[in-house]
Amino acid sequence: MICEDAFVYHVGGASFSSNPKARELIKRNKKIFLQRHPNAVLHHKREGNLAALEEYAKLQQEGLWNDGLALRAKRRIETLLSDLPRSLIKKWLWLRKIRKILHHFIIPNNANRGFIKNSLHA
């Protein structure tokens, strides 16, 4: 479930630092979670952002588009582009995967798409 109206602010990276103890704790908790919920599927946040953008594209195609949705899509696109895989091959594969959705929003075929394109480069 994605809640578009909530924001969690992490100050100073204390929540998800590069601290080995924090990483080990996250790994341990993930293992416990998967043991308790063996059918759970944990997707990377990139996949969640892509799924949200695909839903926004459907809303736009159905004519259910407004400035609020355009702003949310803009933020999703910014997040999608700022959270690229580190590996060159994985990065290339990911960019190929998201190319269609990026073209849907960034190529200025109408005023709403132009808004996102212009906002991304602002």
Side-chain angles (χ1 to χ4, degrees):
M1 177 179 193
I2 297 173
C3 180
E4 291 288 330
D5 298 327
F7 180 75
V8 177
Y9 181 67
H10 297 278
V11 179
S15 299
F16 304 105
S17 68
S18 58
N19 179 340
K21 289 182 182 179
R23 280 195 308 248
E24 192 59 39
L25 181 62
I26 291 170
K27 188 185 282 188
R28 184 180 138 260
N29 289 340
K30 180 179 176 182
K31 184 177 178 180
I32 292 169
F33 177 82
L34 290 172
Q35 286 173 347
R36 290 182 183 170
H37 307 282
N39 295 328
V41 178
L42 303 176
H43 297 285
H44 193 282
K45 62 184 175 181
R46 282 186 211 110
E47 296 292 339
N49 282 322
L50 179 57
L53 280 169
E54 288 169 343
E55 291 301 316
Y56 288 148
K58 289 177 190 175
L59 291 172
Q60 189 180 51
Q61 290 170 346
E62 294 169 4
L64 303 171
W65 197 245
N66 58 48
D67 289 342
L69 289 174
L71 183 59
R72 288 179 179 183
K74 173 192 172 279
R75 289 179 180 154
R76 290 281 181 178
I77 291 169
E78 289 170 345
T79 302
L80 203 66
L81 293 174
S82 69
D83 185 31
L84 296 174
R86 291 185 197 128
S87 157
L88 288 176
I89 293 172
K90 288 181 180 179
K91 186 183 296 185
W92 180 78
L93 291 169
W94 178 249
L95 289 170
R96 281 189 53 157
K97 184 173 185 174
I98 66 173
R99 182 183 314 158
K100 182 178 178 182
I101 197 72
L102 291 178
H103 280 269
H104 176 84
F105 286 106
I106 296 176
I107 295 176
N109 291 334
N110 63 38
N112 292 326
R113 292 182 190 162
F115 167 80
I116 292 173
K117 179 181 180 182
N118 295 335
S119 297
L120 280 174
H121 300 293

